[in-house]
Amino acid sequence: MKKKLFPVLLLLVQLILNLNNSFAQSGQWIWIKGDSTNNANPVYGTLGVADSLNSPGGIYGPAEWKDIQGNFWIFGGSGSNGAQSAMWKYDPQMNQWTWVRGSQLCCLAGEYGIKGVPSVNNYPGSRGYGCATWVDTSGNFWLFGGVGLDAYGNGFFLNDLWRYKPLTDEWTWMKGSNLSTQPGIYGVQGVGDTANTPGGRSECTVTWVDMENNLWLYGGNNAPDDLWKYSIISNTWTWVKGSTSGTIAPVYGTMGIPSLTNTPGSRYNYAKWKDAQDNLWMFGGQGLSFYSPRNDLWKYNPASNEWTWMNGSNTSADPGIYNSYCSPDSISNPKARFENRAVWTDGNGKFWMMGGLLDG
């Protein structure tokens, strides 16, 4: 089928390296920083001061962003002693971490303040397990959900939406509840409303920012197949597509043919990209039950509000097809996987992906 030759068919297990890098030849990995042992403890140093000895330590599922200066940021994550609440910045030019904000202590309740009002005293509670994150066109960081502690120290799935401004070092609680384990408020499909909000969820790190600076979110753990759009301008969530509850099976339709009834179904921990036409793409992830990874490739067209099954198998735990190394063709397809969030889009619009967790 011609659409199976679409130029974004996944190219596996290669990271694009700079051919002019004087420290390594093309195709080589470089150990940049960090410990070579498991469960390393963090080294905080002095708040706000970069140091070559600083390190966030071993953590799982922190929130992550890249700022407009090219620095890498992380918040929270699950460490060996519990959920964290520290904010870190890594400067690739200096090769140094800075402990920017938050506590060295684990398992802290959030300080929400007043909804919509920024403050240097505000901060999200300790959390990990894949919060949703975005960076808007103004360079502000956004965070939603995850598993962590609410305003009263109670922990589980969260549905709070936060904005962080690096320039002012202020958090703002924007939407959602300051209590854990809250259901979604869906309203009318396709209609934004100030009361709307997705329900509490985790492992929802796959997100998109469209050309109009709207934030998009699909599914996650503890969620159905719901697709949401958040308007920064109006501060409203819109339930765009999908179900409001339950565990939803995929509806594939015909490969390459868009349909209003198609859906990737309930899933989390998948890979994502956005193409030059503002279409949203996703690959694989965890399906209906634990250790039921998939290797299907989907495209969502916001203009038509339709999902299209583009490539891959319509069954779980598919072994994939591996033909000639570095030779793309219309038959090859990666093995089913989840936790495959290491993704890139190159200058030619091709999608790249590396690794992930297989079917155990």
Side-chain angles (χ1 to χ4, degrees):
M1 183 179 294
K2 185 176 181 180
K3 288 200 174 187
K4 293 176 70 175
L5 298 176
F6 194 87
V8 295
L9 289 179
L10 303 175
L11 303 175
L12 284 179
V13 294
Q14 288 190 333
L15 179 64
I16 305 173
L17 297 176
N18 190 334
L19 297 177
N20 297 320
N21 192 318
S22 60
F23 297 100
Q25 297 177 356
S26 176
Q28 293 181 332
W29 285 101
I30 304 172
W31 178 22
I32 300 294
K33 202 165 181 66
D35 295 274
S36 59
T37 57
N38 295 333
N39 300 317
N41 292 320
V43 178
Y44 289 88
T46 302
L47 185 67
V49 179
D51 192 291
S52 60
L53 298 179
N54 291 350
S55 172
I59 48 177
Y60 169 79
E64 52 83 19
W65 306 269
K66 186 176 78 170
D67 67 25
I68 56 179
Q69 289 79 34
N71 300 305
F72 308 145
W73 296 66
I74 59 174
F75 168 80
S78 180
S80 58
N81 64 335
Q84 306 298 304
S85 62
M87 174 80 92
W88 292 86
K89 180 177 74 172
Y90 172 75
D91 185 330
Q93 300 300 318
M94 296 175 59
N95 191 24
Q96 291 181 340
W97 284 101
T98 303
W99 169 36
V100 175
R101 214 167 191 281
S103 175
Q104 297 185 23
L105 302 176
C106 80
C107 312
L108 296 180
E111 183 62 51
Y112 285 75
I114 300 172
K115 189 177 288 187
V117 179
S119 172
V120 294
N121 297 317
N122 293 347
Y123 55 84
S126 301
R127 69 188 65 199
Y129 293 95
C131 311
T133 60
W134 306 262
V135 179
D136 66 28
T137 55
S138 298
N140 300 313
F141 302 164
W142 295 79
L143 177 150
F144 172 84
V147 168
L149 302 180
D150 63 19
Y152 300 93
N154 299 313
F156 212 43
F157 296 112
L158 299 169
N159 77 330
D160 46 356
L161 179 68
W162 292 82
R163 182 188 66 196
Y164 175 77
K165 290 191 172 185
L167 292 178
T168 61
D169 189 28
E170 291 179 315
W171 283 104
T172 306
W173 171 34
M174 298 296 294
K175 297 288 286 183
S177 177
N178 61 358
L179 302 176
S180 65
T181 320
Q182 297 299 299
I185 301 174
Y186 286 80
V188 178
Q189 190 172 39
V191 179
D193 192 291
T194 56
N196 291 351
T197 181
R201 64 194 67 197
S202 67
E203 305 295 2
C204 48
T205 55
V206 180
T207 56
W208 303 268
V209 180
D210 67 22
M211 293 178 182
E212 297 179 350
N213 205 30
N214 298 305
L215 315 181
W216 291 75
L217 169 71
Y218 181 84
N221 190 19
N222 194 49
D225 63 336
D226 49 352
L227 179 67
W228 290 85
K229 179 177 70 173
Y230 173 77
S231 168
I232 296 174
I233 294 176
S234 64
N235 189 28
T236 57
W237 283 105
T238 301
W239 167 41
V240 176
K241 199 171 180 67
S243 304
T244 61
S245 63
T247 302
I248 310 302
V251 177
Y252 286 88
T254 302
M255 187 181 291
I257 306 298
S259 173
L260 289 172
T261 59
N262 289 350
T263 175
S266 302
R267 68 179 67 199
Y268 56 97
N269 283 340
Y270 49 88
K272 59 91 179 187
W273 306 266
K274 184 168 71 76
D275 65 27
Q277 290 73 45
D278 226 20
N279 297 308
L280 315 180
W281 294 72
M282 56 185 284
F283 172 85
Q286 185 67 273
L288 296 176
S289 59
F290 192 60
Y291 280 126
S292 60
R294 297 189 176 272
N295 68 340
D296 44 358
L297 179 68
W298 289 85
K299 180 178 75 172
Y300 173 76
N301 184 334
S304 65
N305 195 26
E306 292 176 315
W307 284 103
T308 306
W309 171 35
M310 298 297 295
N311 200 264
S313 174
N314 59 1
T315 62
S316 64
D318 185 83
I321 299 174
Y322 293 78
N323 288 326
S324 300
Y325 181 67
C326 280
S327 297
D329 59 53
S330 60
I331 299 176
S332 296
N333 202 55
K335 185 176 181 178
R337 64 195 65 205
F338 59 104
E339 298 276 16
N340 49 322
R341 60 187 74 169
V343 294
W344 305 266
T345 302
D346 66 23
N348 296 316
K350 293 184 173 66
F351 300 160
W352 295 71
M353 176 183 75
M354 179 175 176
L357 186 60
L358 303 179
D359 60 4

